[in-house]
Amino acid sequence: MRHPDRLKHPDRLEHRAAYFAFDRFPSSKGSAVHIAQMADELFTRFGGGLLGAIGGDDLPRYQREGTREIARFDARIPNLIDRAEAFSGWVADHLEPHLGSLEVCHVRDPWSALPAVPDGRRHKVVYEVNGLPSIEMSHTWPWAAPTTLGKIRELERFCLERSDAVVVPSRVIGDAVQGLGVPESKLHLVPNGAEVPGETERPDGAPPRYIVYVGALQPWQGLDVLMRAFARLADLDDLRLVVCASVPERRAKPVRSLAERLGVDGRIDWRFELPHREVAAWLAHAEVSVAPLTGCARNVDQGCAPLKVIESMAAGVPVVASDLPAVRELMADGEQGRLVPADRPAELARAVRILLEYPEEAAAMGRRGRRKVEQTLTWARSRARLAEVYRTVTRPAAEERMR
């Protein structure tokens, strides 16, 4: 049965490629930046495609740009599990018209993967694992029952086993995926990347001297640690903290309440849901960029490649980040910035203070960070790796057509 949206657009194309993600797109979050790059590579290779993602608010349910289509799931379902299951059914409906032409379906989560991996399919499935819901949901949905998380873990195993290739952004999450039974031969490391910006003008309203945090505000991001560290820098009365939050202002209430209790709220500038192109300027003109990720299982056991770290390096700003395995894949202590123990405000404050006291060395770290991105962590390099994954999984079919 065709999805109602399909009936409203009978002239839609039959695609060779599809990309599905249980993520809002577009948005100011790092996941949306990643989706834009990966989907563009997929659609460039296959002459267009269908992108299915989460919508809502003012985002249209359907868009078409030439041979590319975007469909958005916007059902308002409060319960996360119920919403995920409904999304999975929605993906199945949107895949159905393309099953005769589809060659590659790229997915980012088990809800997208399940309808893409049935028996008898002709298309290949590339499963990109940036996080494991069986681990993530214990943090995002703490009241989830252990039995529910166990069922999600089995769903992950099932979808990973039936996928033709598994893409991971870091060796850390690659190890976690192997722990679910995925053979190393099916794993492909495609790290996150960044575009190295040119000269940027100082943002309007930027304070003369500031450190910056970029990203979302979930507990595992460590904003509480950052606030406590910033309180220890109260003697630096000309220093401000700029928080470029990728989420709406209403979600900042817990962190802002903590800042008030610590007495630092008057020294913090908040910027919410900035367009991605504006974030680079806030990074480039900062003294230090801070990534205070906590030492929870979400960051340690399945750590991805934090975009905030890569984009800070690309902007040429030194980084103070938590010393976690996934972060060590991107930067080295004393080279592109400083690594400090997670969940330690005093250590975080001390590292920031040292960089502020030695600006020449801090600037050198920033230059080394930019150079590392230019040499190893550009989106162009990441996309070339992804293109090779697509070539690998479709080669048998291509060879068969040539016979």
Side-chain angles (χ1 to χ4, degrees):
M1 179 178 179
R2 292 192 171 186
H3 193 277
D5 283 357
R6 175 79 182 179
L7 299 177
K8 295 177 184 178
H9 302 278
D11 60 334
R12 285 191 186 180
L13 305 171
E14 291 189 354
H15 291 295
R16 298 168 58 206
Y19 188 115
F20 288 98
F22 191 55
D23 293 275
R24 182 177 168 85
F25 181 85
S27 76
S28 56
K29 294 179 64 176
S31 60
V33 176
H34 182 103
I35 289 169
Q37 291 288 340
M38 301 295 100
D40 187 60
E41 184 59 39
L42 176 66
F43 298 158
T44 296
R45 177 170 178 78
F46 289 94
L50 171 66
L51 171 60
I54 300 295
D57 296 332
D58 58 343
L59 292 174
R61 278 189 173 184
Y62 174 76
Q63 287 177 265
R64 177 169 170 177
E65 297 179 1
T67 59
R68 301 185 182 195
E69 296 180 286
I70 302 177
R72 295 185 178 89
F73 174 82
D74 61 359
R76 296 183 179 275
I77 303 174
N79 182 279
L80 178 59
I81 295 296
D82 292 343
R83 187 163 68 252
E85 290 180 349
F87 178 77
S88 194
W90 180 90
V91 170
D93 286 342
H94 282 73
L95 269 178
E96 189 273 334
H98 307 285
L99 294 180
S101 58
L102 195 64
E103 295 181 35
V104 171
C105 184
H106 185 134
V107 297
R108 276 176 56 97
D109 48 79
W111 333 117
S112 303
L114 183 60
V117 294
D119 292 331
R121 59 187 166 87
R122 67 181 297 276
H123 61 270
K124 304 296 183 181
V125 175
V126 175
Y127 191 154
E128 175 195 331
V129 184
N130 291 278
L132 294 166
S134 58
I135 294 177
E136 292 233 347
M137 287 180 66
S138 63
H139 299 276
T140 58
W141 206 45
W143 49 88
T147 54
T148 299
L149 296 178
K151 290 178 181 178
I152 293 172
R153 174 61 60 96
E154 289 309 308
L155 176 60
E156 289 169 343
R157 290 180 191 273
F158 177 82
C159 294
L160 288 165
E161 178 183 331
R162 295 170 71 90
S163 297
D164 298 281
V166 178
V167 169
V168 293
S170 72
R171 288 185 290 273
V172 172
I173 199 166
D175 290 342
V177 169
Q178 282 190 266
L180 291 174
V182 175
E184 186 175 1
S185 59
K186 200 158 77 171
L187 277 176
H188 302 267
L189 178 63
V190 180
N192 282 331
E195 304 292 347
V196 177
E199 292 294 323
T200 58
E201 294 185 7
R202 192 174 189 86
D204 291 339
R209 193 179 191 216
Y210 66 93
I211 62 175
V212 67
Y213 169 84
V214 170
L217 305 179
Q218 302 100 325
W220 64 76
Q221 300 284 2
L223 269 294
D224 59 330
V225 179
L226 176 55
M227 295 299 159
R228 290 183 170 89
F230 192 54
R232 293 172 177 267
L233 300 173
D235 58 302
L236 303 177
D237 53 14
D238 64 334
L239 182 70
R240 297 187 68 83
L241 168 63
V242 174
V243 178
C244 295
S246 61
V247 297
E249 184 172 359
R250 65 180 182 276
R251 297 191 188 174
K253 186 175 180 179
V255 180
R256 298 184 84 162
S257 295
L258 174 61
E260 290 177 7
R261 293 197 300 272
L262 294 171
V264 297
D265 54 304
R267 301 169 53 217
I268 300 175
D269 296 337
W270 296 86
R271 298 289 185 275
F272 295 99
E273 297 184 287
L274 290 176
H276 185 252
R277 64 184 179 276
E278 295 182 18
V279 173
W282 284 97
L283 286 169
H285 293 275
E287 306 286 324
V288 176
S289 176
V290 187
L293 295 160
T294 69
C296 66
R298 190 265 175 198
N299 293 331
V300 176
D301 296 342
Q302 59 134 49
C304 60
L307 266 176
K308 60 172 62 67
V309 173
I310 303 173
E311 292 184 343
S312 296
M313 292 163 58
V317 60
V319 182
V320 174
S322 298
D323 189 7
L324 302 176
V327 177
R328 289 197 294 271
E329 291 186 34
L330 304 174
M331 60 175 286
D333 185 37
E335 288 295 313
Q336 295 83 25
R338 297 302 307 270
L339 296 177
V340 300
D343 307 301
R344 300 282 292 275
E347 296 287 343
L348 182 63
R350 181 174 180 272
V352 171
R353 188 183 294 275
I354 289 173
L355 290 183
L356 295 175
E357 289 179 352
Y358 295 91
E360 291 185 3
E361 179 55 26
M365 289 179 177
R367 289 192 295 270
R368 289 194 290 268
R370 182 192 291 264
R371 188 159 56 246
K372 180 166 185 178
V373 172
E374 289 173 334
Q375 294 173 351
T376 65
L377 289 169
T378 61
W379 278 123
R381 287 176 175 271
S382 298
R383 289 176 57 152
R385 289 193 180 191
L386 184 62
E388 182 57 31
V389 175
Y390 296 146
R391 282 192 290 270
T392 298
V393 298
T394 58
R395 188 172 295 130
E399 291 174 353
E400 183 67 25
R401 286 197 298 268
M402 293 176 65
R403 291 178 184 175

